[in-house]
Amino acid sequence: MTIGGWISMTVTLGFVLGLFSWCCYQMTSAPETPEELEEDAKNKPKE
Amino acid sequence: MTRDEHLNDHWGSRLGVVLAVSGSAVGLGNFIRFPGQAAMNGGGAFMIPYLISLLVVAIPISASEWAMGRYGGRRGFHSPLGIYYAAGQRRPICGLCGGMFTFTAYVIDMYYLFVEAWCLVYALQYLGGLLAHVGLGFSLFPEIESGLNLGSSEAYGKAFESVSGASGDGALFSKAGWPVLATLALCTFANFFLIYHGISRGIERFCKMVAPLIMLCSLIVLVRVFTLGNPTGEEGRSLLDGLGFMWNPGSVRETLSQPAVWLAAASQIFFSTSLCTSAVCTYTSYVRPKQDVALSSVTATMANEFCEVCLGGMMILPPAIMFLGAAAADQIGSSFSLGFIVLPNVFGKMPAGEFFGFVFFSLLFFAAITSSISQLQPAVAFLKEALGWGHKRSVLGCVVAVLVGSTCVCWFTENLTALDSFDFWSANFAPFLCAIVQTSIVAFIWGLNGLQKELDQGAIVKLPRFIGPFIKYVTLPYLAAIFAFWLWKNSADRVESLLASRSAQLSTFFLLLVLIAMFLTSLYAVRRWKREELLAAGQEGKSENNE
């Protein structure tokens, strides 16, 4: 593999992985909406 | 599922909808088509137009499609027919366009289920080979060894011919073809079973279960590829040589000066993200009114890119080069020959290849099934909205329509003519046209303010305010230019193949009939809605006068 190959692979993988990880982090760290909490409560088995 | 339950059906969580939409996009194109396209169009240099297309086409269109879907869903519409009608400010022509674009959902399912069946057949063949070690081996085809240890490239080609029926029309409707037809029936049943159980109890549960399986299977194959070293010991066949074949950029200036490379990159991004094939806007119409669509749209697009670039780009071509050398390079242009001839040949030569073949084809099967159910949902929603049918009746109607089309694809199998025609019109031509119409509706009828307002509602992270003008002034002209060039490049070949083959003519005629049926059904629905709106407006006026 040439240096150009290493550069193109690293830049492309870095860009895709970076943006995807940022999106996942934002998605998982955001608080749930009242609608989602309501849905969770509905799906929880009754004790 | 009752009618009321269906009307109130929503995604249970934001993770569910993101997994379902990315599952819809992740399919054979990510794992088989992308590496071939990249290697043939300049390797690493191809990634420049590819990433530009991701930023200019995929992310903006995905955001606008998610916003449009939720906007339609809030108004009680769940099929492209109704969603386009709502976003088009109740203009009948917009509804008609949306209804006709549901054509893609029906037609893609008609042939995609067949391809899904091939993946399952290959996975079962490998499983038969694995079980042979404990004395329980089996093969679905008497002439093909279980475990697919066939030796020569020609033998793998012949095996694929048996599975796909490519030797002649009607080849599958013989004694030898029954395993493929039985597998197709099984896939069809599984798809409709999931659709019948609705969004949250059917599709969402299934996608949450299958997404980790897809990741696990990919990781197993990826680890195997990275630990192979130089299996043949020959020069030029190491892992780095395999990666270099895929990623070395060659002459960047020369590659970027070729319009065909830009076209290939834009087409790859566009087709692999499944945008404008009805699936995304239908799925997002079930998003709750205050649930995020802005960040979710980008996350779903990037999840697809992760599977394509980080998994497909790293695990498919390197082993092909490591085991087969330059001989593999001639066959990577066609997705089917790379996936069903070259890769089985590679697994045949790989230590413990039966196990990795089983894992790989299971991965393809799972990726294919999440894509096919995403195309069935708009088809079912179309029947419900256009004809006012209940859930059960719509699912049954859809089964009949898809089975008729699948029979056509399974019969005209010589050189896979029908499959090729169906694929060209529904997954290549129509989505391009649909994207241009959809972007025009967003830019000129719904309005950029409407789009921004919808994107901002419930947004976890707000998208930049220039997204609307960007779609109008950059994405739309870029798409139109790419579409015009694509038509110019492909239309001559298409006409030639149409004139040369009677099977191609018959399958295109069948597609024309489907399109006419979609048009008439959409026309009926839009006229009914207009009549109901007039009646409602009249009654409102009357009650105001009485007061």
Side-chain angles (χ1 to χ4, degrees):
Chain A
M1 188 142 94
T2 62
I3 293 177
W6 277 109
I7 293 172
S8 63
M9 190 175 89
T10 314
V11 170
T12 310
L13 293 186
F15 175 75
V16 171
L17 264 177
L19 189 51
F20 180 52
S21 312
W22 179 81
C23 288
C24 290
Y25 170 73
Q26 293 291 342
M27 287 292 285
T28 48
S29 60
E32 296 205 18
T33 61
E35 285 169 330
E36 286 166 336
L37 291 172
E38 197 182 302
E39 186 74 22
D40 285 348
K42 232 189 269 176
N43 291 340
K44 211 178 252 177
K46 284 176 189 165
E47 283 169 19
Chain B
M1 190 178 215
T2 65
R3 191 179 166 77
D4 286 346
E5 274 176 325
H6 165 71
L7 288 173
N8 294 320
D9 207 5
H10 282 102
W11 298 104
S13 63
R14 72 172 82 113
L15 177 69
V17 60
V18 170
L19 285 180
V21 174
S22 42
S24 154
V26 174
L28 271 64
N30 298 65
F31 296 106
I32 297 176
R33 191 174 187 269
F34 168 72
Q37 287 292 314
M40 280 193 318
N41 289 290
F46 174 80
M47 298 319 293
I48 298 171
Y50 180 83
L51 291 179
I52 290 175
S53 298
L54 169 70
L55 296 173
V56 173
V57 177
I59 293 179
I61 291 191
S62 171
S64 74
E65 199 165 357
W66 274 70
M68 207 165 143
R70 192 182 62 179
Y71 180 82
R74 274 217 313 274
R75 279 149 188 81
F77 294 115
H78 295 292
S79 78
L81 166 72
I83 293 166
Y84 276 55
Y85 181 68
Q89 307 305 306
R90 300 188 177 262
R91 283 178 174 80
I93 184 74
C94 296
L96 280 178
C97 287
M100 285 174 73
F101 288 135
T102 317
F103 162 84
T104 55
Y106 280 100
V107 178
I108 287 176
D109 266 314
M110 288 169 185
Y111 74 86
Y112 208 77
L113 287 171
F114 187 38
V115 178
E116 200 173 300
W118 297 349
C119 298
L120 188 56
V121 165
Y122 271 74
L124 290 173
Q125 280 293 120
Y126 280 112
L127 182 66
L130 267 178
L131 291 178
H133 296 296
V134 287
L136 296 168
F138 63 87
S139 174
L140 298 175
F141 299 88
E143 75 276 20
I144 303 175
E145 194 194 324
S146 65
L148 289 164
N149 285 316
L150 306 176
S152 70
S153 187
E154 290 74 32
Y156 284 100
K158 277 232 168 321
F160 178 57
E161 210 173 87
S162 305
V163 175
S164 62
S167 54
D169 288 343
L172 290 177
F173 290 84
S174 63
K175 206 178 164 189
W178 76 265
V180 182
L181 295 183
T183 321
L184 175 63
L186 187 70
C187 291
T188 311
F189 174 77
N191 274 270
F192 281 101
F193 178 80
L194 291 168
I195 289 294
Y196 180 73
H197 282 85
I199 291 287
S200 55
R201 286 193 299 171
I203 300 171
E204 186 173 354
R205 272 188 198 174
F206 180 73
C207 289
K208 278 183 173 170
M209 203 172 68
V210 159
L213 271 178
I214 293 179
M215 294 308 296
L216 181 71
C217 292
S218 309
L219 285 176
I220 291 173
V221 178
L222 198 62
V223 169
R224 172 74 282 202
V225 169
F226 274 72
T227 50
L228 276 169
N230 187 341
T232 57
E234 289 176 39
E235 206 179 316
R237 291 196 182 188
S238 67
L239 173 67
L240 285 182
D241 292 313
L243 286 173
F245 184 76
M246 164 86 201
W247 293 98
N248 283 346
S251 166
V252 177
R253 192 176 290 176
E254 198 183 306
T255 306
L256 296 185
S257 64
Q258 293 171 20
V261 173
W262 289 83
L263 175 70
S267 307
Q268 176 59 34
I269 273 284
F270 193 71
F271 301 137
S272 83
T273 43
S274 282
L275 291 170
C276 303
T277 56
S278 320
V280 177
C281 68
T282 299
Y283 268 4
T284 51
S285 70
Y286 296 97
V287 169
R288 289 175 189 282
K290 286 178 186 159
Q291 205 171 312
D292 166 84
V293 289
L295 179 66
S296 304
S297 69
V298 184
T299 310
T301 308
M302 290 317 295
N304 175 64
E305 287 310 302
F306 172 76
C307 290
E308 184 156 296
V309 176
C310 302
L311 301 176
M314 303 298 282
M315 73 184 187
I316 303 297
L317 286 187
I321 297 300
M322 286 151 89
F323 283 101
L324 306 176
D330 302 334
Q331 290 182 297
I332 59 167
S334 153
S335 305
F336 290 149
S337 63
L338 175 60
F340 295 96
I341 299 172
V342 175
L343 288 177
N345 196 358
V346 169
F347 292 126
K349 293 179 168 51
M350 190 185 278
E354 284 159 352
F355 171 72
F356 291 103
F358 171 67
V359 172
F360 178 73
F361 281 99
S362 303
L363 155 75
L364 285 192
F365 173 68
F366 291 135
I369 200 166
T370 50
S371 301
S372 60
I373 53 172
S374 75
Q375 299 299 338
L376 280 178
Q377 186 60 33
V380 171
F382 174 79
L383 288 181
K384 278 182 198 169
E385 280 176 18
L387 301 173
W389 286 0
H391 185 67
K392 200 185 281 180
R393 198 170 173 194
S394 304
V395 173
L396 274 176
C398 197
V399 171
V400 173
V402 169
L403 279 181
V404 171
S406 293
T407 311
C408 177
V409 175
C410 292
W411 181 267
F412 295 116
T413 45
E414 188 170 4
N415 299 324
L416 302 177
T417 320
L419 193 150
D420 181 53
S421 298
F422 279 44
D423 179 56
F424 178 83
W425 291 110
S426 66
N428 293 268
F429 179 82
F432 256 135
L433 199 61
C434 178
I436 291 173
V437 171
Q438 185 189 296
T439 317
S440 303
I441 290 176
V442 169
F444 301 107
I445 301 177
W446 190 21
L448 303 183
N449 285 337
L451 170 70
Q452 193 69 48
K453 208 172 137 193
E454 193 63 37
L455 283 172
D456 286 349
Q457 191 172 330
I460 296 172
V461 173
K462 286 189 180 172
L463 293 182
R465 298 206 68 81
F466 63 76
I467 187 102
F470 188 84
I471 288 174
K472 188 172 178 177
Y473 298 112
V474 181
T475 307
L476 187 56
Y478 186 82
L479 259 178
I482 292 285
F483 183 51
F485 185 60
W486 182 84
L487 269 184
W488 173 69
K489 204 165 178 289
N490 286 284
S491 50
D493 283 352
R494 186 49 42 184
V495 172
E496 204 176 294
S497 68
L498 195 64
L499 292 175
S501 158
R502 193 170 154 70
S503 310
Q505 289 162 10
L506 285 172
S507 33
T508 310
F509 178 68
F510 173 80
L511 293 180
L512 196 65
L513 290 181
V514 175
L515 194 64
I516 292 170
M518 307 291 299
F519 174 74
L520 292 176
T521 318
S522 307
L523 190 66
Y524 166 75
V526 170
R527 288 181 67 167
R528 183 163 53 88
W529 289 339
K530 272 285 158 205
R531 218 172 26 241
E532 283 169 3
E533 278 165 26
L534 282 176
L535 268 175
Q539 275 173 357
E540 253 175 47
K542 229 183 232 176
S543 62
E544 271 172 23
N545 285 342
N546 289 342
E547 277 169 22

